[in-house]
Amino acid sequence: MVAAQLARESAKLVIICANNSLRSHMGALWAQVAAVLLRVPWILTFSGCTKTTGFDRLTIKAILHAGFKIERADRAHNARYSLSWIDEVTS
């Protein structure tokens, strides 16, 4: 019963970091991976920071090294990125 209700509604998990967007980006990314692996698709994750920062280049390198694909969605100063990950175990 609870699972059926949750399947119709999303739970939005926001990871906030006070000064460093690196931690909130990584937290949101790995929380989403955990949701996929645990087969709870109604969990959506987001990162936030108390001040506007860009996506740290070292964070991008670490995410690429972990096997993710990153695409820059726009050319704005504080650009949006699209991340994807396909693992044969979850397919």
Side-chain angles (χ1 to χ4, degrees), residues 15 21-31 47 55 59 62-63 66:
I15 309 295
S21 64
L22 180 146
R23 290 185 294 264
S24 64
H25 288 140
M26 294 299 275
L29 174 66
W30 290 111
S47 69
F55 203 4
T59 305
I63 291 169

Side-chain angles (χ1 to χ4, degrees), residues 26-80:
M26 294 299 275
L29 174 66
W30 290 111
Q32 191 65 57
V33 168
V36 169
L37 292 175
L38 295 171
R39 301 186 190 282
V40 285
W42 55 86
I43 294 179
L44 304 175
T45 65
F46 303 90
S47 69
C49 195
T50 58
K51 62 182 180 179
T52 303
T53 60
F55 203 4
D56 185 81
R57 64 182 174 80
L58 295 177
T59 305
I60 293 171
K61 284 180 72 173
I63 291 169
L64 289 169
H65 184 71
F68 291 87
K69 180 180 175 186
I70 298 178
E71 293 182 25
R72 190 171 178 159
D74 59 45
R75 293 285 176 212
H77 173 68
N78 191 10
R80 295 174 53 153

